[in-house]
Structures are given as C-alpha cells and as structure tokens.
Amino acid sequence: MFTTALAQQETTQLGELPLLLFAAIESLKKELNAVILAHYYQEPDIQDIADFIGDSLQLAKAAEKTNADVIVFAGVHFMAETAKILNPDKLVLLPDLNAGCSLADSCPPEAFAAFKAAHPDHLVVSYINCSADIKAMSDIICTSSNAVKIVQQIPKEQPIIFAPDRNLGRYVMEQTRRDLLLWQGSCVVHETFSEKKIVQLKIVHPEAEAIAHPECESSVLRHASFIGSTAALLKYCQNSPTKEFIVATEPGIIHQMQKLAPDKHFIPAPPMNNCACNECPFMRLNTLEKLYWAMKNRTPEITMSEDIRLAALRPMQRMLEMSV
Ligand code: 13P
Ligand code: SF4
C-alpha cells in the first residue's frame, strides 16, 4: 500500500510524504531487525528517524555494540565501511552508494602506499575519514574527537605520518607540540568557510561565540573559542552560558543544536562564495526516500574483501582500545 502511495508521489500531498515514509521505515526496522545510525550532517528527517545520532567515534562504537541484523548507515561511505569492518556478518546498507567524502578521496591508496614506503620508520595514524584501503595501511585510526589523545599516547621519539587531513593534523601538532608528517588532504566543506565573513559576523553579533570543527583551516580556527568534533561542539553549546553561536562546521548539526538548546541562536558560518558549499554534497545525497528504498530492497550494500577488512580492523581496534 505504501509502495503505491510512493509511486503516486506527484498526487500525494507533499506534507504527507515524510509521515508515510516514517511509518514505512519504522515497520521495515522491525521486519529486518535493523538499526539506523545517522551522522549529525544528515538532513533533519533522517536525524529524526534514526535510532542513534553521533559523531564518527560514537557511530563506530554504536556499530560495534549493536545486536541488530541490519545496519542502515545514514552517513557517508567511509562511515558505513567502518561499520562493515566491525560487523562482517551484518548487512550494512548505505542509502546512496555515491555518498563519498572529498577528504577520503584526497588520499588515493597507490600514492599513499608510496608515501608510506618512503618513510618506513614512521607509524601511520589515519583519520577515520579514509577508505578501508588506507585504514588497512595504517597502524592506528583516530577521529576528530580522539586524535589528540591518541597521538599523546605514542612515545615522543616515534616519528608519525598523519593522514589524510592536513588541517586536523596541524591542529593535533599544535595541541601535542610534536611534529607530524602530514598527508596534504582536506575537506571541501571545511575549507570553504570565510575568515572575513566570520569576523564580520562577530562584529554584528558581539555576544556570539564562534565554534569550529578541527577540519577547518587555521585562519578560521583562530577565531573559535571552542574547537571539537561534531559531538563535542553540540555538548559545548548545550553547556555554555552563551546564547548565540557562529557554527563553523556543516550546518546539518544545527538541527540537533536547536533541539537540545531551543533557547539559543545558531548562525551557520558562511562560505567564501554565495553558494551552499558549507553543506556536504556527499552527506546530502542520502534522503528519506532513498533510506526507505535501501531498507525495502536491502541494497546498496557495503562489501569488501576479507583481507582488507581484517587489515583495516586491526588499527580500528587499536583506536577503540586507546579511546576508552
Ligand atoms: P565528526 O567525527 O566530528 O563527526 O566528523 C566527521 C566529519 O566528516 C567531519 O567532516
Ligand atoms: Fe567528508 Fe567533508 Fe563531507 Fe565530512 S564534511 S563527510 S570530511 S566531505
């Protein structure tokens, strides 16, 4: 019955469609014994239907713990791949298989293998925003919420390659006061914020605090009174006495910020051009409709070779042990 309603989308009142989808997704969840894990950058409707919303570390931990048979990952490819690395026997679905990540794409496996081979004495710490192939070449994985803590646990004399994000790498260097050999990758979304427009916003909103994700360039980070992962930014806004924030990360997170701190005002940090380039084009490929169809058809599924999975699992487990 629902399928017919969806097929007749054009004649359905637009406002009714999300409600129909919510109901159908809820019933598929029961039928498949599925769990929906969503990242904070997903569209509001997806965040609202999810069983768990989190940052990359929280999502990896939730994927590790789940008893569900099916994991529907509302995020990008490397995140769903991480869930599969941790759950080889579960069906892991990604609503749109093209939901990639510019940061993960900025580190091609062959080039990285050559870089690593040129520095054989270095330990490889890779940010979770990378492909399973890069994870398989790494010694330890980290996320934006534990990168500093992980690097601090490595002996000072041990040289380290940090990949793929140069901005997070530079931030970790500053925080740990140690030298890291950085792979020069970056995120198109976090490099789009305009320092000039943030400064102008601070003049117009003198009471507002700027907060930023460490994937931003140092020209933006220098204006932030708090820097952290998506989950850390959310917690900071809830606990801070400040009532107004300029948020330098993907604006999808503002949905949760507004839900958890309804009395506060959140201003998305503007991009350099008059575009919507502060929205992650990959995250936004997932829609409520695609999520429904992925569950209904049990596809697109995340797959990988067992060799790569096992090689990628080892540094993931090291991260989970080091970030308890
Ligand atoms: P978090 O781990 O902070 O959620 O970051 C994920 C991400 O892709 C940021 O661009
Ligand atoms: Fe990748 Fe950047 Fe999108 Fe995060 S915001 S998923 S790092 S492209």
Side-chain angles (χ1 to χ4, degrees):
M1 186 187 152
F2 170 74
T3 318
T4 319
L6 194 65
Q8 292 168 349
Q9 236 179 82
E10 275 138 291
T11 52
T12 308
Q13 290 281 328
L14 267 182
E16 287 173 22
L17 193 59
L19 293 180
L20 281 169
L21 284 165
F22 274 119
I25 290 169
E26 284 301 345
S27 110
L28 279 169
K29 256 199 237 176
K30 289 194 190 84
E31 196 185 306
L32 300 177
N33 185 27
V35 65
I36 302 177
L37 306 182
H39 189 265
Y40 291 121
Y41 297 163
Q42 290 292 281
E43 63 174 43
D45 281 343
I46 294 184
Q47 293 189 35
D48 291 344
I49 192 94
D51 298 294
F52 183 84
I53 319 170
D55 69 5
S56 306
L57 181 62
Q58 293 170 328
L59 289 167
K61 287 184 172 169
E64 196 200 17
K65 284 198 195 102
T66 185
N67 292 323
D69 296 317
V70 177
I71 299 175
V72 186
F73 211 106
V76 290
H77 194 272
F78 77 82
M79 296 179 174
E81 223 175 31
T82 303
K84 186 68 182 177
I85 292 166
L86 296 167
N87 293 283
D89 300 329
K90 295 190 196 299
L91 175 68
V92 178
L93 301 171
L94 180 64
D96 190 321
L97 216 46
N98 292 319
C101 166
S102 64
L103 188 45
D105 290 347
S106 67
C107 194
E110 295 89 60
F112 188 69
F115 183 67
K116 186 184 159 179
H119 304 94
D121 56 333
H122 283 56
L123 194 86
V124 178
V125 177
S126 296
Y127 185 32
I128 199 163
N129 297 34
C130 64
S131 66
D133 288 335
I134 300 298
K135 288 187 176 75
M137 285 185 248
S138 306
D139 296 295
I140 313 173
I141 301 301
C142 69
T143 73
S144 53
S145 63
N146 62 18
V148 170
K149 205 169 147 191
I150 298 256
V151 169
Q152 275 168 340
Q153 290 176 64
I154 300 168
K156 283 222 155 28
E157 58 286 359
Q158 172 62 58
I160 300 173
I161 288 177
F162 189 92
D165 188 17
R166 62 177 175 210
N167 293 319
L168 176 63
R170 201 180 306 110
Y171 173 72
V172 173
M173 280 170 71
E174 281 164 21
Q175 295 297 305
T176 59
R177 295 174 187 279
R178 59 189 290 178
D179 207 20
L180 305 174
L181 182 58
L182 303 182
W183 180 265
Q184 294 298 314
S186 63
C187 157
V188 281
V189 176
H190 287 86
E191 286 207 335
T192 198
F193 297 116
S194 156
E195 179 187 15
K196 190 173 152 200
K197 290 185 186 171
I198 291 174
V199 171
Q200 284 167 344
L201 270 175
K202 283 180 107 172
I203 295 167
V204 180
H205 301 267
E207 304 295 320
E209 257 190 90
I211 57 171
H213 194 279
E215 281 177 28
C216 295
E217 291 179 313
S218 49
S219 57
V220 166
L221 293 184
R222 85 165 73 103
H223 299 284
S225 52
F226 182 79
I227 297 166
S229 75
T230 49
L233 295 176
L234 187 59
K235 196 167 162 201
Y236 182 79
C237 293
Q238 276 178 276
N239 296 338
S240 163
T242 303
K243 294 281 181 212
E244 200 168 33
F245 297 91
I246 299 162
V247 183
T249 193
E250 215 274 2
I253 194 169
I254 292 179
H255 180 58
Q256 285 308 312
M257 289 175 167
Q258 262 158 357
K259 270 176 112 168
L260 297 174
D263 58 323
K264 300 191 178 181
H265 181 220
F266 302 98
I267 308 164
M272 285 181 224
N273 302 315
N274 292 329
C275 57
C277 2
N278 55 344
E279 288 184 3
C280 174
F282 308 101
M283 287 278 180
R284 303 298 169 125
L285 282 178
N286 293 327
T287 60
L288 203 57
E289 286 86 346
K290 288 182 195 170
L291 192 142
Y292 164 77
W293 288 114
M295 292 178 81
K296 178 87 182 153
N297 298 328
R298 296 166 66 91
T299 189
E301 178 188 356
I302 300 290
T303 56
M304 76 193 69
S305 81
E306 188 60 2
D307 285 355
I308 290 290
R309 191 191 73 79
L310 288 173
L313 178 63
R314 194 181 38 86
M316 278 294 304
Q317 284 173 330
R318 274 189 93 181
M319 170 186 84
L320 293 168
E321 286 156 20
M322 290 170 85
S323 53
V324 278

